[in-house]
Amino acid sequence: MMEQQKVVISQDLRQSLSQAIAECKYDHLFILVDETTAHCCLPVLESIFSPLNTPPSLITIGATDQHKTLDSLSHVWSELQCMGATRHSLMINLGGGMVTDLGGFAASTFKRGIPYINIPTTLLSMVDASVGGKTGINFGGLKNEIGVFNNANCVILDTTFLRTLDKANILSGYAEMLKHGLIDCEAHWAELLAHLEDLDNLENMETLEKLSSLVAKSVAVKQRIVTEDPTEKGLRKALNLGHTVGHAFESLALERKPILHGYAVAYGLVAELYLSCIKTGFPTDKMRQTVSFIKEHYGRMAITCDDYPRLLELMHHDKKNTGSAINFTLLAGIGDLRINQTATEDEIKEALDFYREF
Ligand SMILES: NC(=O)c1ccc[n+]([C@@H]2O[C@H](COP(=O)([O-])OP(=O)(O)OC[C@H]3O[C@@H](n4cnc5c(N)ncnc54)[C@H](O)[C@@H]3O)[C@@H](O)[C@H]2O)c1
Ligand SMILES: [Zn+2]
């Protein structure tokens, strides 16, 4: 068991942030943003810090995963060094999962580690990336190849940041929430299926509050799992639901026309819920309801049976596999996990046939 990471569901960012930084005695404050969050999100923080005598120092890196590189990391380290960061400095990562992953790693390694606070600004980073202590960068063509496990001192979730986020990125995060709902319980799952349409207008306070409560539930599921298994020896594999097939779709899409991670997870869930039905007795009606929801909101990435060999090859290469079998996390029911499952190539092909027909 690891100490539970502090996560604050904020109703008032000024107050949550003041409290969080007051708990980390620091000599110098740094804020890491990417080129987009510098415009969309930073002004809110600046207004909070403007009364301070020493305003925080800003470090900016390029936006999107393409910049989750050693070059960007090196830039962050250099900036920290040039601007006089010490072992007692504090870093705030303000951005999506790219910024929280890279910033978390930069903070964890600078002078053997300085404290950091995550303020995630995408739905995906709120419910997934910013919690759980995984930090890192892409390297040598591989995602998240270099990194460490190290919790942020505090994670502050404020859904008002989502007002500027595009619908596709909202949906991408929502797919991870759906995964958490399936892992959790029937009531949580049903609530998620019922409330996506309501999220169209994030200017509406009621909508934001609803989203905030769904985010809180979702992040609680992830926290519960990572606290029991911080370094992915067992239970944390639950979080891989939808990801064995999902990662293969994501990599195949990268060879053609890239898709957002959450969309790949949604498609992966279709195939893996089918596998759950045939292998671990997941109820067919719940599978059909989930699949229709995904079809309606996420559409479909077109594949043919000619893609099966490549998809299977990608699944075999997934770093989460041990030995030659392809590993899955399946469900026997909503909230009823079966980790360390395997499926034969024929069963996987049958699941891909189902995906193509849904
Ligand atoms: N550490 C983990 O456990 C974990 C889990 C899941 C994903 N991840 C990582 O997270 C990353 C994906 O996260 P992501 O989807 O947040 O990607 P991202 O950080 O690249 O953000 C997506 C885009 O949205 C922009 N953006 C961010 N906040 C915005 C806002 N409020 N308004 C408008 N635009 C905004 C970003 O600048 C970027 O262009 C990947 O690198 C992935 O590996 C990590
Ligand atoms: Zn994911």
Side-chain angles (χ1 to χ4, degrees), residues 171 175-176 178 241-250 253 257-274 290-291 293-303 311 315 351-352 354-356 358:
L171 278 167
E176 296 284 3
L178 183 60
L241 180 68
H243 280 63
T244 305
V245 177
H247 279 147
F249 272 106
E250 197 174 6
K257 181 171 172 280
I259 55 173
L260 290 172
H261 176 71
Y263 280 69
V265 172
Y267 305 147
L269 282 173
V270 172
E272 294 185 22
L273 284 179
Y274 179 83
T290 317
V291 166
F293 175 86
I294 291 172
K295 183 178 178 182
E296 184 185 342
H297 296 286
Y298 296 83
R300 198 150 66 103
M301 170 179 151
I303 57 160
L311 285 167
M315 286 179 224
L352 293 172
F354 174 77
Y355 166 84
R356 286 200 299 137
F358 89 82

Side-chain angles (χ1 to χ4, degrees), residues 15-29:
Q15 201 246 330
S16 313
L17 187 56
S18 307
Q19 196 170 342
I21 62 176
E23 283 167 18
C24 310
K25 292 187 182 54
Y26 64 90
D27 58 8
H28 195 148
L29 185 61

